Amino acid sequence: MCGIAGVAGSSNIAQRLFRGIAALEYRGYDSCGMAVQRNGSLDIRKNIGTVEAVNLHERLSDMKGLVGIAHTRWATHGGVTRENAHPHSDNDGRIAVVHNGIISNYRDLRERLAKAGAIFRSETDTEVIAHLIAHHLRQGGEFERAFVAALRELEGTFALAVISVVAPGTIFCCKRESPLIIGLGDDANYVGSDFNAFIEYTRQAVILDDGEYAVVTRQAYGVKNLQTGEPVSKEVTEIEWDVEMARRGGYPHYMLKEIYDQPATVQAALRVPRAELAQVARVIHGSHHGFLCGVGTTYYMACMGQYFFSRYGGRYLPAVSTDEFPHLAEVDADDSVLAISQSGETYDTLSAIRHAKSRGAKTAAIVNVMGSSLVRAVDIPILQGSGPEICVISTKAAMSQAVLLLLCALELGALNGRHREEDVVRLRGEVSALSDRISETLNERAGFLHAAAHRHQRMKNWLYLGRSIYYPAALECALKMKEVTYLHAEGMSAGFLKHGTISLIDENMYTIVLMPAPEEKELHALTRSSAEEVRARGGFVLGFRFEGDEASKGLFSEEIVLPRVSSLLAPFLHLVAGQLLAYFLAVALKRDVDRPRSLAKSVTVA
């Protein structure tokens, strides 16, 4: 997730442009830059670091000009370097581009343009856009025609803004599956990836839809259909703004925004000091019995934690739902309890911790809200730092909790000799790469999940199957489906299927199978067998499998192919796919996505 800002004004726009990307910094903060058009040339300044740090070095706010674009970046293609920071330009420095999303055919375009003489200075997919527009501009005609011709060649998802000395005083912008909004002011017009880019100056906005592009000057704007070139009449929206609406960032629902927040969420989890995680690991290591607990989604994250602690920490920690904890768990002063909570105010989880503390057990918690009751109640709180989660349905907070449970398990493994320090560092590096794989899933696979949701929106019964750690992932995916679509969905161990539930398989029950990473050969074979059992009884099977999984080809009625990852990261991508499928089905069924019926963000009653 990255931030785009643009301003076309009647006086120097640098301060407004700079304040725009500063307001968008939550969308990405590893690098930023601005491009301003002045006196027939482009001034492009960029560097790595926060917006404020780059401003100190590059003096962004001192730039001069009447039109400009800016960007704050969360790296996807290419590392965090000055060369990879936006804006990007063509070889002649006549075109500047900022871009969110992923151009999936950029390698083919890059190779073709390089053969035609383009010299690439970065590793990004975005730079291809500048060279492609320049290529079409050389064919003759006005800039808008070259801009449109280039965009029609792009595959993937994008929101982008472009300025050029060939078309002074004008911002060209377009969107496909990534938010982009035009702000309408008195002496200037604006472009932003969300309202925060210009809310300080205007509350009049035009929200672009997929497949639309706009030509924006200080006095006017026009929106057209990218494929037909026909003008599109757009409604002007009055932003009834408050803090929550600004945080939604142009996405139609908080749930979708928070799903897209997850690459940043993973990095935030990795910034939790290892010393804090090691402190929890030491408590677990020194306890006679250890327990994990949560309720609802956090219980399923605790269930995933069971597998992480067993495999990477060398310790079995049973997961217990907090509503049942006082009735089931026998704890005393030699034991430890690690609770998981989004709000830190959930009644059942607080009751479980109080029960444990009354018997002398040592307690810890992974919590998203600073100063909450749970933070104050436990001996060791871990603040996960996921940021506000407005949608009732938990997505990014749950992702963070799963990551932190894995990281804590690694610390326990180091403590008990299961892993050397270099192993822990290597595995943490692998977890860091999860951000890119989630981004790839969101930007390149969301369309397939959207299409599947619309094809199958009339199915009212869904069965999710997984084995090993993919079992709690199946439980969580089914819960997302239930919560937001109001459809019947059930998660189950794939091995459990044949012990009764297989009798339900017919044309009214769809099955989703979460395939393991191909490297997990025995587990993979067992899961394939369960899929075959369903197909043999005439059941429809939608498979979530990974690239490179040759053994699963032809196994499913339909499939979603996820990016290839290791067994360490595979369950996390299944969570993302399950979130997206549930979201798209809910939208197709016209559910109240952010506030599903009968649910609350924090259940504070018994």
Side-chain angles (χ1 to χ4, degrees), residues 440-451:
E440 187 178 347
T441 302
L442 294 171
N443 289 306
E444 298 185 10
R445 306 313 200 267
F448 297 108
L449 287 154
H450 180 273

Side-chain angles (χ1 to χ4, degrees), residues 411-432:
E411 296 298 331
L412 180 61
L415 195 62
N416 63 26
R418 194 178 187 93
H419 301 298
R420 296 171 300 175
E421 172 62 17
E422 53 264 40
D423 296 327
V424 176
V425 171
R426 175 181 56 80
L427 290 167
R428 284 179 62 93
E430 196 171 334
V431 175
S432 183

Side-chain angles (χ1 to χ4, degrees), residues 90 94-97 112-113 126-140 142-151 153-154 160-164 166 172:
D90 66 314
R94 300 195 303 164
I95 300 166
V97 180
R112 192 184 93 200
L113 291 164
T126 303
E127 190 182 356
V128 165
I129 302 170
H131 291 294
L132 188 59
I133 296 172
H135 168 77
H136 284 286
L137 196 59
R138 286 192 291 272
Q139 312 308 308
E142 60 182 4
F143 187 85
E144 183 177 345
R145 182 181 298 176
F147 174 77
V148 170
L151 263 59
E153 290 196 58
L154 302 180
L160 56 87
V162 180
I163 59 173
S164 174
V166 179
F172 296 82

